[in-house]
Amino acid sequence: MDTLTEAEIKALHEALDDEYMACSTYDQVIQDFGEVAPFSNIRDAERRHITSLLALYKRYGLPVPENTWSGRVDRYPSLLAACQAGVAAEIANGGMYERLLSVIEKPDIRRVLTHLQAASQQRHLPAFQRCVAGGGRYGCGQGMRHRRGHRGQV
């Protein structure tokens, strides 16, 4: 089995911690405001992202860090404020993945991180931007899956 560089291990830890934080943040928003889009859709996507990263941990025999974000994430006074924070977080997320990818040599890890970055920038960021443009009303029960009649990929 290939061994990872220290930089690759740190990159995986940072990516997983960021996904944990995002998932916990969206859990909190949903707890505060109900099952609202885009948060419910994106939270489900974050869970899939965590699963993808955990597969890499298993493949390389790395111990899995615990999610310590539950109860430690920001809370927002409104859905609009939560969506604004989502825009800022996804912009930062794109930069984080760019930085992490610069130290990754393993093709399988590059593939996963590239996919996560694309999801963040091409799907999550626009969803939060639509929420902001709608004054936070995007999340009031009329999310993408309700308008489309099926659960959309986020």
Side-chain angles (χ1 to χ4, degrees):
M1 173 171 36
D2 283 339
T3 59
L4 300 179
T5 66
E6 191 63 33
E8 289 171 325
I9 293 170
K10 285 181 180 180
L12 283 175
H13 287 336
E14 186 174 347
L16 182 61
D17 188 62
D18 186 73
E19 298 293 343
Y20 279 160
M21 181 181 61
C23 193
S24 294
T25 298
Y26 305 148
D27 279 341
Q28 185 64 59
V29 170
I30 290 165
Q31 188 175 58
D32 291 342
F33 298 104
E35 284 286 335
V36 291
F39 296 95
S40 56
N41 299 341
I42 295 175
R43 179 202 46 201
D44 293 345
E46 300 297 356
R47 289 177 176 164
R48 290 188 300 274
H49 299 175
I50 290 167
T51 298
S52 296
L53 289 166
L54 292 178
L56 292 171
Y57 273 78
K58 183 176 180 179
R59 180 175 303 140
Y60 289 100
L62 297 173
V64 176
E66 183 179 339
N67 180 355
T68 60
W69 286 104
S70 182
R72 293 183 43 235
V73 295
D74 290 336
R75 295 181 78 175
Y76 303 98
S78 67
L79 283 172
L80 176 58
C83 288
Q84 290 167 331
V87 168
E90 295 298 343
I91 290 169
N93 191 266
M96 178 199 73
Y97 277 115
E98 197 66 38
R99 182 175 45 76
L100 297 181
L101 283 162
S102 73
V103 300
I104 300 295
E105 295 181 20
K106 304 283 186 291
D108 57 341
I109 298 174
R110 286 190 66 77
R111 190 171 33 258
V112 169
L113 296 188
T114 299
H115 173 77
L116 298 183
Q117 182 185 39
S120 170
Q121 301 305 288
Q122 296 171 14
R123 292 189 290 279
H124 302 184
L125 178 58
F128 284 128
Q129 289 170 327
R130 284 190 298 273
C131 180
V132 170
R137 290 182 303 277
Y138 179 90
C140 295
Q142 297 301 313
M144 293 186 330
R145 65 177 148 185
H146 294 106
R147 286 194 306 266
R148 290 185 188 160
H150 69 282
R151 183 188 156 115
Q153 284 290 328
V154 179

